[in-house]
Amino acid sequence: MSEEKSLNFLEEIVEADLASGKYKFILTRFPPEPNGYLHIGHAKSICLNFGLAATYGGQTNLRFDDTNPVTEDTEYVDSIKEDIRWLGFHWANEFYASDYFDTLYEYAVTLIKKGLAYVDDSSSEEIAKLKGTPTEPGKDSPYRNRGIDENLRMFEDMKAGKYADGEKVLRAKIDMAHSNMLMRDPIIYRIKHAHHHRTGDTWCIYPMYDFAHGQSDSIERITHSICTLEFVPHRELYDWFIEKLGIFPSHQYEFARLNMTYTVMSKRKLLQLVTEGHVTGWDDPRMPTISGFRRKGYTPESIRMFAEKIGVARRENLIDLSLLEFCLREDLNKRALRVMAVLDPVKLVITNYEEGKTEDLISENGPDEHLGTRHVPFSRELWIEREDFMEVAPKKWFRLAPGSMVRLKSAYVVQCTGYSKDEAGRVTEIQCEYFPESRSGSGSTEFQVKGTIHWVSVPHAETAEVRLYDRLFKVENPAAEEGDFKEYINPDSLQVIEKAYVEPSLLLATMDDRYQFIRKGYFCLDKEAQPGKMIFNRTATLKDTWVKQQSGES
Ligand code: ATP
Ligand code: MG
């Protein structure tokens, strides 16, 4: 660790544990439940767990927390692994909580034998009724004092499938008057006759989260088990099981979960967006999922930079989406190849340029020399952006208007000599004359014009579909608004341009390439593109257009 950078609270804990000799080796874990795709909040947790261990020469396990057979799926397992790899992290071991079902069952038997667990025949309503409230103690279940032998036999019968779902549960015997409600004889096993994505039909009883998580940590000898703040009240129970079972003392630490503006960050809500068709899938570029960001053109570097910048806190807050976009632009500005694409085309004709002639102009791929150069064909007829021409221009207009001069990027200076309109008054063509001596790179200083516009040669243009994305929700914090969060979906979150014109070099684009369409934003090829059908996603605008709108500049 560099000296100047102050440590976050987890780094302080790890350093103290290493210094005191409590642990010689740091082992963390990332424990997703395979019931959905990972979102940007998970990315924060991944960067934290993998980053912390790596900083101190330790390792990280990937553990699928697959104790709930009903909602889990191997599709999710595969997507989670792909996302972690894409972010640039390597796990030491791939484990599944379901691998520990036998051990967990043995642990439960141990608790029963110690008189610390019992089978309860009460229904879930009856159990809830006796639970008490935060201010009132609960009451003992009538089954609480069942003998150890009867408990052992009944638990075995639960496992053997002799009971229906909900008929019995196994509970830890702690204290029905405990100030922490979670310590009031929590349920540790429930009956669920359901097929599990890994263990199939072997089990019909499944451990509850609290009885699986800490023990799985302990089995793997995890030193620092990091989770989000909502698990603070669970820590007492986590420690209780470890102590009563006398197993490896893993420790739980909590940090604030990531919440971000203009989106929702819960798998349950994201699943609704997918199943109800508000988006095209988990990897829709408007989704806050890692796969959505990837498809939209985000880089792993930008997401890691974001995780670094937000740091780890012990207080919940709402992070501005524009911070993530800032990190993205920082990264893309360095790596994106600059190309020309016209999204809303109008034709420009250079009347004094030879008909049928083509020049191969050399254009830089970016401000950084290592990005290199490429050839861009130039001819008499060009597509330019409709918004770059005005029939009647205001004073400080540096683009095209009757009589005005602009530089065509990497090419010549032209002067507007006229334009044509259709019956509806829409401009159909702009005429110009060019100055042959003004060619870019010729060294001439005679032509100093204020504006430079991009263009694509008409006979050389390729067509592409371009998808422009905006934020998925109209309000900052949809989950906190009244009513259903889906009422706040932004109806204009996707705008499709069926036919944009792009320079021919884009025919070579691959999904790994990142582009800046000059003056228009950052773009990348979408996975639905095919030979003969280019599709580009806008990853981000060049600047934070929302900030501009708010300050009234735009
Ligand atoms: P969700 O509430 O979105 O469904 P989850 O907590 O149920 O998420 P898990 O698969 O259980 O999802 O999470 C795996 C790990 O990622 C956990 O350690 C969890 O604390 C962490 N995590 C989940 N959401 C966030 C978030 N928004 N910010 C930071 N960490 C998160
Ligand atoms: Mg969870």
Side-chain angles (χ1 to χ4, degrees):
M1 292 251 40
S2 72
E3 287 295 326
E4 320 88 67
K5 202 178 147 250
S6 65
L7 302 181
N8 67 43
F9 79 96
L10 289 167
E11 291 164 341
E12 276 173 11
I13 290 167
V14 169
E15 290 204 357
D17 287 349
L18 287 170
S20 72
K22 183 171 171 189
Y23 302 116
K24 299 242 159 358
F25 184 78
I26 299 304
L27 188 61
T28 61
R29 87 287 172 261
F30 175 65
E33 196 180 334
N35 61 351
Y37 280 59
L38 298 181
H39 52 59
I40 186 80
H42 294 114
K44 173 181 175 177
S45 174
I46 292 168
C47 291
L48 178 60
N49 277 297
F50 283 86
L52 187 68
T55 302
Y56 295 100
Q59 288 185 324
T60 305
N61 283 347
L62 168 60
R63 183 198 318 138
F64 290 99
D65 205 334
D66 59 349
T67 50
N68 183 359
V70 185
T71 52
E72 293 155 5
D73 204 304
T74 39
E75 176 197 344
Y76 298 136
V77 169
D78 294 340
S79 77
I80 289 169
K81 292 202 279 186
E82 185 185 358
D83 288 350
I84 300 172
R85 277 196 212 103
W86 179 76
L87 279 174
F89 296 107
H90 307 278
W91 50 90
N93 300 286
E94 175 184 334
F95 289 136
Y96 292 79
S98 56
D99 294 341
Y100 310 136
F101 280 171
D102 284 314
T103 311
L104 295 173
Y105 180 81
E106 286 311 315
Y107 286 164
V109 169
T110 302
L111 288 185
I112 296 174
K113 285 182 179 163
K114 288 187 169 185
L116 294 172
Y118 61 97
V119 173
D120 195 331
D121 301 0
S122 313
S123 67
S124 53
E125 293 78 32
E126 286 162 342
I127 290 176
K129 216 182 277 166
L130 294 180
K131 193 103 205 200
T133 68
T135 51
E136 283 167 76
K139 293 197 185 77
D140 287 0
S141 156
Y143 305 95
R144 196 170 198 262
N145 291 319
R146 227 173 210 154
I148 291 178
D149 288 339
E150 191 184 355
N151 277 321
L152 284 173
R153 194 168 32 80
M154 288 187 128
F155 187 48
E156 218 180 296
D157 286 347
M158 278 170 68
K159 181 189 178 207
K162 296 208 176 146
Y163 306 113
D165 287 9
E167 216 178 311
K168 292 193 170 23
V169 291
L170 184 71
R171 298 177 74 177
K173 194 170 179 178
I174 308 179
D175 178 1
M176 286 308 291
H178 203 287
S179 57
N180 180 348
M181 299 272 290
L182 289 172
M183 298 294 278
R184 294 183 187 171
D185 292 9
I187 296 173
I188 58 180
Y189 262 94
R190 65 206 191 291
I191 300 169
K192 222 170 216 180
H193 291 269
H195 189 83
H196 186 279
H197 77 116
R198 278 175 70 86
T199 57
D201 298 314
T202 309
W203 294 88
C204 62
I205 57 171
Y206 291 95
M208 301 297 285
Y209 171 87
D210 283 314
F211 196 68
H213 201 94
Q215 283 84 320
S216 301
D217 284 343
S218 180
I219 292 167
E220 294 174 21
R221 304 180 79 82
I222 300 297
T223 54
H224 299 79
S225 174
I226 303 164
C227 60
T228 41
L229 283 177
E230 65 270 26
F231 290 98
V232 168
H234 295 251
R235 195 197 317 137
E236 208 170 1
L237 189 51
Y238 182 106
D239 291 341
W240 191 88
F241 287 131
I242 284 179
E243 187 210 315
K244 298 301 174 200
L245 292 167
I247 53 181
F248 181 83
S250 299
H251 284 281
Q252 175 184 304
Y253 300 94
E254 308 87 13
F255 72 104
R257 60 190 293 123
L258 169 67
N259 301 301
M260 210 165 62
T261 54
Y262 299 103
T263 192
V264 290
M265 201 83 84
S266 121
K267 279 184 281 192
R268 201 175 43 82
K269 292 199 173 76
L270 296 176
L271 179 64
Q272 281 180 52
L273 293 176
V274 174
T275 53
E276 295 173 22
H278 299 286
V279 293
T280 57
W282 283 98
D283 70 346
D284 186 301
R286 291 166 293 180
M287 289 281 272
T289 51
I290 298 178
S291 52
F293 282 118
R294 175 168 62 235
R295 183 167 169 196
K296 199 175 174 191
Y298 274 66
T299 57
E301 289 82 357
S302 61
I303 293 177
R304 294 202 304 259
M305 189 194 307
F306 172 69
E308 178 76 23
K309 273 199 196 301
I310 55 179
V312 279
R314 268 186 286 196
R315 234 262 214 96
E316 291 269 350
N317 59 359
L318 189 61
I319 301 283
D320 209 316
L321 172 62
S322 57
L323 180 61
L324 177 59
E325 292 182 344
F326 169 83
C327 297
L328 175 77
R329 291 189 187 100
E330 285 279 300
D331 187 44
L332 289 185
N333 184 44
K334 280 183 278 173
R335 71 171 76 223
L337 302 175
R338 273 60 170 177
V339 293
M340 295 197 278
V342 175
L343 306 187
D344 182 17
V346 65
K347 197 182 271 185
L348 177 86
V349 179
I350 307 170
T351 51
N352 62 341
Y353 193 87
E354 199 180 308
E355 261 180 76
K357 175 175 165 179
T358 299
E359 276 181 274
D360 259 334
L361 301 178
I362 294 178
S363 191
E364 277 150 13
N365 290 334
D368 201 327
E369 245 176 56
H370 84 270
L371 292 174
T373 58
R374 72 189 184 291
H375 289 283
V376 187
F378 182 83
S379 69
R380 187 173 195 263
E381 296 196 348
L382 309 173
W383 295 116
I384 64 164
E385 226 50 82
R386 182 169 287 280
E387 63 175 17
D388 283 339
F389 175 76
M390 273 185 106
E391 293 179 65
V392 184
K395 243 190 180 161
K396 288 205 168 164
W397 177 255
F398 301 126
R399 295 180 256 168
L400 277 175
S404 84
M405 283 163 65
V406 292
R407 175 167 292 282
L408 297 170
K409 170 78 185 162
S410 300
Y412 299 94
V413 171
V414 293
Q415 182 166 33
C416 179
T417 53
Y419 62 99
S420 327
K421 293 205 283 193
D422 63 15
E423 278 156 22
R426 193 172 150 89
V427 174
T428 50
E429 188 187 286
I430 300 154
Q431 295 97 34
C432 279
E433 288 186 358
Y434 86 119
F435 301 93
E437 323 82 75
S438 68
R439 187 166 148 164
S440 290
S442 68
S444 163
T445 54
E446 196 186 324
F447 300 89
Q448 300 289 351
V449 292
K450 283 229 169 89
T452 299
I453 64 170
H454 62 277
W455 50 272
V456 173
S457 165
V458 170
H460 304 95
E462 295 291 336
T463 57
E465 179 180 315
V466 175
R467 298 175 181 173
L468 307 178
Y469 301 100
D470 200 346
R471 37 196 64 177
L472 189 51
F473 289 92
K474 293 181 286 190
V475 296
E476 273 208 341
N477 194 356
E481 295 285 337
E482 246 173 65
D484 190 75
F485 74 100
K486 284 168 289 171
E487 287 168 29
Y488 302 93
I489 290 177
N490 174 7
D492 303 316
S493 61
L494 170 62
Q495 184 199 339
V496 178
I497 296 173
E498 307 275 348
K499 195 173 171 188
Y501 291 112
V502 302
E503 60 168 78
S505 75
L506 283 168
L507 281 175
L508 299 174
T510 70
M511 304 254 304
D512 293 332
D513 295 316
R514 295 291 176 280
Y515 293 99
Q516 185 191 106
F517 289 0
I518 293 171
R519 301 173 65 227
K520 288 280 124 188
Y522 293 105
F523 291 81
C524 73
L525 207 60
D526 186 72
K527 69 166 192 190
E528 288 174 357
Q530 286 165 11
K533 166 100 173 130
M534 279 191 268
I535 302 172
F536 287 98
N537 293 322
R538 183 171 70 196
T539 313
T541 52
L542 289 180
K543 287 195 203 115
D544 194 335
T545 48
W546 281 69
V547 172
K548 255 206 319 202
Q549 275 175 28
Q550 278 156 17
S551 63
E553 260 180 64
S554 118

